[in-house]
Every structure is written in structure tokens, then in C-alpha cells.
Amino acid sequence: MWIADLEALSDEELVRRFVSGGVPEALDVLLRRHRDRVFGLAFRILGNRADALDASQEVFVGVFRKAASFRQQSAFTTWLYRLTVNACYDHARRRSRLPVATETMEVASPDAIGRTDDRLVIAGAMRKLPFEQRSAVVMRDIMGLTYEEIAAATDVAVGTVKSRIARGRAALAGILAPGLAPGLAPGLAPGLAPGGAPGGAPGGAPGGGEHADQPGRLTRDTKP
Amino acid sequence: MTPHADTELLSAYLDGEVPGSERAGLEQHLASCSECSAKKDALEGVVRSLKGLPEVRPTGAEVRALRQAVLEASGPAKAGGAARRWRRTAGGAPAGTVWKVLGAAAAAAAVLVGIVTFAANKVSGPPATTAAKQAPAAPAPSPPATVLGSDADVRTYARSLTGVSTFLGQTHAAPNVAAAPAPQVAPAPTFSCCALGAGRQDSTTPTTTGGPATSAKSDTQAPSPLSSPVTLPTCTRAIVPSGAAVLGASPVTYQGTPAWLVAYAAPSSNQGVLDQVIVEVRSQAACALLDRSTLAP
């Protein structure tokens, strides 16, 4: 089968061709369509390429393994986001076992940073957010998903998504520009306490931090 | 005066998620309340910063590694069995197929870039004095730093540092002996947070931050471009926690950014046994974390 013909097929059909039809080219088409968003989302949540690549691998392997359980109730892309967030959750949890001492260095002081690469500063600040807030903010502000899409991908109510995004943004504002609106993130004093900020584990400790949402934030398995 | 708007409302407002009737009232309030208006601006600033981040895509090598891994795990020929066999190790170190593939790619890259540059660094030895003389006159010629593009590169390169390979070899030989490497490892200086501003004072008197192997010492004192706001010794002192020991350090270029690579031995639990190597890549500009890996024996 020609690649050009495969390009016209739906994601679901590509998965089926690959799994049962013995059409390895279907994988290439599917990867080309989705690898950037999966890797990009994982990178912004986990903060490094190695983990993002690992998570991406889990996602695409998961796509073919769980293909039978995907029932078009949600868009394929949303399902992919869901697999990605879950893979990232696993990684973040594993990473959280590492020592955290150096992470308090992340954002020395806003004045010192002013002249360095803003992207690094933002990445450092993102790492301090609890997993749920970070992934919600990434999906909204970096990936451009709607509240509804984020709710579907993380399996929570839209109201919860709204709250996570607000808390995440407020915490980031408190870290990046503490003087601007002091009332925004009272939990994060300017300069950051030496003990580290909430959820400051490498890659983020899931559920850490004082603004943790209700338990069971992320479903471990991904039944569509 | 209307009551202040809470963060959630302001945040939703920025996303256009506040219904029309409520929105009019909110806008009216924002026009007259500087406090809420400042909050909104701060949130808006965060959103703008995040939207301004560049899109991160997998590199060609990463895409190939990804494809290969998926093919191996779930290709039609191996459906079922291979998929079930595909599993990460419980320890958490990246051990998936991607790593085998990328490892090969990294090794190839190391042959081309890493080893050559590393060898060049080694041959030109500890040219601290030479560099110190040259640097002020020359218009900051970029140092011959090892070029690293990914986490895998960092791991490969870090393992090639003498101090690191020696340490990993030792702990591997005697994994259960508490503090086995301790006699040779000088304790790192006390962790002091956020004193980056002091970097300039240190730039003229680079001090050794302690290391077990001679090569680590010379690496720690390796020439640093004087234009850097944060010197390698300063950055090293700042990031290495107390109880850890520096194994090696070197100037590198990480994804195009001039950086310091610092490898130190640290305990993985509160037992205090130095049983793993943390490798950090820090920007030379501000000692900001660019990459972080853990190497286990």
C-alpha cells in the first residue's frame, strides 16, 4: 500500500492496519501525525528530552496495545493526550524518588534571571508546580487545548481543570514575578524558601504541594 | 465597590471562559480596582510567557529511536508476545528499547564529536594558566567545549570522565559496603543557596571544590571563559549538596548553550551511602539547570 493512500486514512484505521494488517508503514504515518504533540507535551510536563522520549515510547506502544479498548467516544487525539499525561505521571512519580537538594537553585532571584534565558527560568518554575497543575497549564497555555479537552484527557470535571489552571498560573506568577501581585500566590514568598517550593522534586512530585487537589487526581489506567 | 475577583475568575477570563453577563461586571470592576487589575496582569504575563515558549520537537535520531522501539514492542510480527515482554525496569532508570537505540546513536556521535573534543581537552591538559593569560586579550573565543545535544549525550560523556568511571567501577565492585568510596572522596562544601551574585568575586581565585581523582581536580579548574557571570567553581559549590562529592566537571555546549557539566556522587537514600552519580548540566550564564541525569553503577 502506498504511503499516499495511508495518509488519507483515519488514525483509528491506521492503528488497525498496523496491528492486524501487517502494514508497518501505517506506523510511520501515525507517528508523523502525532509525534510532535506527544513529545512536546511530555517534554513540557517532564522538563527533559530523555524522559519525554521514554514517555512517548510508552504512549505509542500503548496506542497499539490498547487499540481494542478505544471506542471513539472521544477523539483519537484526546485519547493520545490522555495516554501521554498518564505516561508522564508515571515518570514524574519515579523521578520524585531522587534527591531534591539542587532543585532549590532553580530560580535564584528574579533580578539575577532578568538577563538569562527566560525559557530556562520558566522551565525551572514549572518544575515547582504540582503535577496536576503543571500538566493542566501546559495543555492550556502551551498546547492550546480547551478546558473540555483537558478535562477529557485528565478525566476530571471542567471545574477542576479551571481551578488547576488558575492555581498553576498564580503559582508561576508568584515565582516569576513575585512583586507584581503579592496576593496572587501567598504560598510562594519572593526568593523562595530554602527548603524548596511545593512540588519541587525533579520532574515534579505528583500530588505534592499545598494546593493538591482531591485524591485520585489521575486515573492510572486509561480506559476511554 | 464590587467585591474583588478571585484568581479562578481572572484566569478563566483570560481564556474567554467567563460568560457574557458576568464578564461585563468583571471588566467594570477591573477598570476601577488596581489590585485585581494587577492580578490579572500578572496572570496574563504568565500566559504570554508560556505561549512564547518554542515548540519542542523530537530530533531525527529521537524519531528513529521512537519508531524502532515501537516496532520492536508491537510490530505485527511480534504482536502479543513482544508487547507483553516490553516493560521498563522497576528501578526507574530509562531502560526501554529507545535507550538501546539511542545509546548506539550517542556512541556514534561521541566518536565524531565527544571523544575527539574530550581527547583534545585532555591533551591540552590543564591549561588553566594558558587560558588565564589568553582570555583577557582575546575577544572571548569560544572554548573547545564538548558538544552535547541530549540527555543521552550527557550520560555518555559523563561516564567518560575519569572520576565518574572510577567511582562507578568502585561501587559496582562493592555495592553493599557503606561509605566504600568515602576515604577517597573529600566532602563537598556546604550547600549555599542562591548566592550566585558572589560568582564574580570568585572568578579570579578559582578554588578546587574537592574531588577524588586527580583528573576531577584538574577538570574542576579547567579554563572558564572570563566572560561568564558564573564560574565553574562557584556554580559547582552552589549546586552540590553537602554530603555529596564532586567527581568531575567540565565546560560543555549543551543544545547550543555554553554550560558546565558537573558530576557528583550522592546518596540515593538518607543512609548517606554515596551510591549514585548525579550529572547536571548548568548554564554558564546563570548556573541554571539545563539537564539532569542519574547514573547508577
Side-chain angles (χ1 to χ4, degrees):
Chain A
M1 188 162 194
W2 300 102
I3 290 275
D5 297 329
L6 290 170
E7 298 279 9
L9 297 177
S10 70
D11 294 323
E12 296 86 338
E13 184 59 28
L14 287 172
V15 171
R16 201 164 62 236
R17 299 275 172 111
F18 180 71
V19 172
S20 57
V23 186
E25 293 81 6
L27 170 66
D28 295 315
V29 176
L30 201 73
L31 277 179
R32 199 158 50 242
R33 269 186 209 170
H34 297 293
R35 70 193 180 206
D36 285 357
R37 72 180 110 227
V38 168
F39 184 86
L41 175 59
F43 176 82
R44 289 300 177 192
I45 292 179
L46 295 172
N48 71 79
R49 304 189 75 95
D51 284 350
L53 185 58
D54 244 7
S56 303
Q57 175 190 352
E58 280 177 48
V59 170
F60 284 105
V61 170
V63 163
F64 298 113
R65 260 165 56 184
K66 298 170 187 170
S69 68
F70 174 70
R71 280 185 299 273
Q72 309 207 359
Q73 285 164 350
S74 60
F76 184 85
T77 307
T78 306
W79 185 53
L80 213 52
Y81 280 129
R82 177 192 276 235
L83 292 178
T84 308
V85 172
N86 280 286
C88 290
Y89 183 94
D90 290 346
H91 274 264
R93 204 178 44 173
R94 280 192 287 258
R95 286 274 165 172
S96 68
R97 291 198 227 111
L98 297 174
V100 299
T102 59
E103 297 301 319
T104 54
M105 282 299 303
E106 216 47 68
V107 184
S109 79
D111 290 336
I113 308 155
R115 289 154 51 191
T116 70
D117 195 335
D118 284 348
R119 281 173 292 171
L120 300 175
V121 175
I122 295 167
M126 291 287 281
R127 221 163 291 161
K128 297 188 189 321
L129 298 188
F131 182 88
E132 292 76 12
Q133 293 176 19
R134 182 167 13 126
S135 42
V137 167
V138 167
M139 283 189 271
R140 173 66 207 141
D141 288 336
I142 301 180
M143 310 301 288
L145 271 65
T146 64
Y147 283 18
E148 283 74 18
E149 287 169 327
I150 299 169
T154 52
D155 207 22
V156 295
V158 170
T160 308
V161 170
K162 190 170 156 186
S163 145
R164 286 175 179 175
I165 291 172
R167 286 171 179 174
R169 285 170 174 169
L172 286 174
I175 297 169
L176 296 171
L180 263 185
L184 208 46
L188 293 160
L192 298 177
E210 64 222 26
H211 298 308
D213 289 299
Q214 68 271 27
R217 296 161 296 268
L218 283 175
T219 45
R220 283 286 295 108
D221 205 356
T222 54
K223 297 187 190 77
Chain B
M1 184 153 179
T2 45
H4 288 309
D6 66 18
T7 305
E8 204 170 305
L9 181 63
L10 292 170
S11 171
Y13 172 71
L14 295 176
D15 292 322
E17 296 276 348
V18 175
S21 53
E22 210 178 338
R23 189 167 63 228
L26 175 62
E27 282 169 350
Q28 207 170 6
H29 176 75
L30 284 172
S32 63
C33 174
S34 60
E35 195 180 322
C36 287
S37 173
K39 271 192 189 181
K40 191 211 77 177
D41 289 347
L43 291 174
E44 208 163 16
V46 167
V47 172
R48 207 169 30 240
S49 299
L50 292 172
K51 283 195 200 302
L53 290 172
E55 190 185 343
V56 176
R57 296 198 186 95
T59 63
E62 284 165 343
V63 168
R64 283 190 294 278
L66 180 59
R67 179 180 184 279
Q68 185 67 27
V70 176
L71 271 180
E72 283 184 19
S74 47
K78 302 183 175 187
R84 269 195 301 279
R85 254 186 288 119
W86 181 84
R87 186 161 290 126
R88 294 174 55 89
T89 53
T97 318
V98 165
W99 291 101
K100 288 181 205 151
V101 181
L102 256 200
V111 170
L112 291 172
V113 183
I115 300 293
V116 173
T117 321
F118 182 60
N121 280 344
K122 279 290 173 195
V123 171
S124 61
T129 52
T130 327
K133 281 178 211 153
Q134 286 172 349
S142 53
T146 305
V147 177
L148 305 173
S150 68
D151 197 69
D153 291 353
V154 170
R155 289 163 183 271
T156 307
Y157 177 65
R159 282 187 186 277
S160 75
L161 294 174
T162 313
V164 174
S165 59
T166 307
F167 178 84
L168 290 176
Q170 279 174 355
T171 50
H172 188 63
N176 291 322
V177 180
Q184 290 156 308
V185 176
T190 313
F191 176 61
S192 62
C193 174
C194 309
L196 292 184
R200 292 185 183 282
Q201 295 159 8
D202 288 318
S203 61
T204 50
T205 57
T207 52
T208 309
T209 53
T214 50
S215 67
K217 280 192 177 180
S218 63
D219 281 343
T220 307
Q221 287 179 330
S224 57
L226 296 183
S227 56
S228 298
V230 184
T231 65
L232 177 52
T234 305
C235 186
T236 305
R237 265 202 302 282
I239 65 173
V240 178
S242 63
V246 177
L247 299 173
S250 176
V252 296
T253 299
Y254 183 74
Q255 294 179 358
T257 307
W260 305 123
L261 180 144
V262 179
Y264 58 92
S268 62
S269 67
N270 54 13
Q271 306 281 321
V273 183
L274 303 179
D275 54 1
Q276 63 176 357
V277 176
I278 311 278
V279 184
E280 299 199 7
V281 180
R282 296 269 171 174
S283 74
Q284 292 185 9
C287 196
L289 185 66
L290 305 180
D291 188 276
R292 190 166 196 265
S293 306
T294 307
L295 306 177

